[in-house]
Amino acid sequence: LYAYFPGTPTWPSDKTELKYAITATSAVSIDLSVLKTVFARAFGRWSAATTLTFSETDSPSDADITIGFYNGSHGDGEPFDGVLGTLAHAFSPTDGRFHLDAAETWVAEGDVTQADSDVAVDLESVAVHEIGHLLGLGHTSVTEAIMYPTIKTRTRKVDLANDDVEGIQNLY
Ligand code: TQI
Ligand code: ZN
Ligand code: ZN
């Protein structure tokens, strides 16, 4: 079953249009146009299940959510750890920070199940999971759900399960 963060933090009910900015991409080799497409698809999976909408802004100061790729220590006390281990992290509402470990072999185009590298990680799969955290979902006990706390490498898992939908619809 789905879970929330302690105190059940959410975005305020009068703020249904959330803006995100992709602010730190120099540490990753994926084209910005490709990143924009992947994150838009990931946000779209949650907007389809709620009354929330998401739009990208090029102006980080206007953004509710900021997305960036970092190596190692990057100023928030939660250093990344190189290949595998922690892949990404996101903070609970209404912090809005979503960070990805630039050391991962991110796959954003093509089929991660066919990737050359056995440590390849599907970017959209991780993004859908982290957006769940940004919106207030914790981890679930339902293995099929996006918010289940483990994912295998070379796996694509992007469709919300009923458990994810029930969890988010209970919040928004
Ligand atoms: N990052 C952890 C995660 O997002 C960070 C974390 C641990 C966390 N406990 C938390 C974040 C509690 C919020 C609340 O779960 S991770 C997966 C999954 C990770 C893991 O790098 O381990 C995905 C990132 F669930 F598939 F294993 C993305 Cl999809
Ligand atoms: Zn961080
Ligand atoms: Zn998680």
Side-chain angles (χ1 to χ4, degrees):
L1 198 68
Y2 58 79
Y4 304 122
F5 292 102
T8 319
T10 63
W11 294 86
S13 56
D14 62 346
K15 189 176 184 80
T16 57
E17 303 179 9
L18 295 170
K19 290 190 170 69
Y20 63 93
I22 304 171
T23 60
T25 61
S26 59
V28 72
S29 61
I30 305 168
D31 282 349
L32 184 57
S33 62
V34 172
L35 293 177
K36 286 181 185 227
T37 301
V38 171
F39 289 118
R41 285 179 56 103
F43 279 108
R45 296 177 184 279
W46 291 104
S47 60
T50 61
T51 56
L52 299 171
T53 62
F54 302 97
S55 58
E56 202 213 332
T57 174
D58 290 326
S59 166
S61 59
D62 290 343
D64 304 295
I65 293 165
T66 55
I67 304 170
F69 291 83
Y70 301 92
N71 277 293
S73 297
H74 52 279
D76 60 10
E78 311 250 18
F80 284 131
D81 54 3
V83 178
L84 300 183
T86 300
L87 311 171
H89 54 227
F91 295 84
S92 56
T94 51
D95 181 289
R97 286 174 294 172
F98 171 11
H99 298 162
L100 299 105
D101 189 343
E104 306 307 341
T105 303
W106 294 109
V107 173
E109 289 174 298
D111 181 356
V112 73
T113 70
Q114 299 289 310
D116 296 330
S117 168
D118 59 10
V119 294
V121 180
D122 185 61
L123 180 61
E124 187 175 342
S125 300
V126 171
V128 176
H129 179 95
E130 297 302 332
I131 293 165
H133 289 317
L134 290 168
L135 298 179
L137 290 175
H139 287 149
T140 183
S141 56
V142 174
T143 50
E144 304 75 32
I146 291 290
M147 296 315 297
Y148 191 72
T150 61
I151 190 170
K152 295 187 194 82
T153 56
R154 300 177 72 157
T155 298
R156 184 165 166 83
K157 184 179 181 184
V158 294
D159 292 318
L160 300 191
N162 286 335
D163 181 70
D164 300 304
V165 172
E166 287 165 15
I168 201 69
Q169 290 189 346
N170 207 29
L171 287 183
Y172 299 99

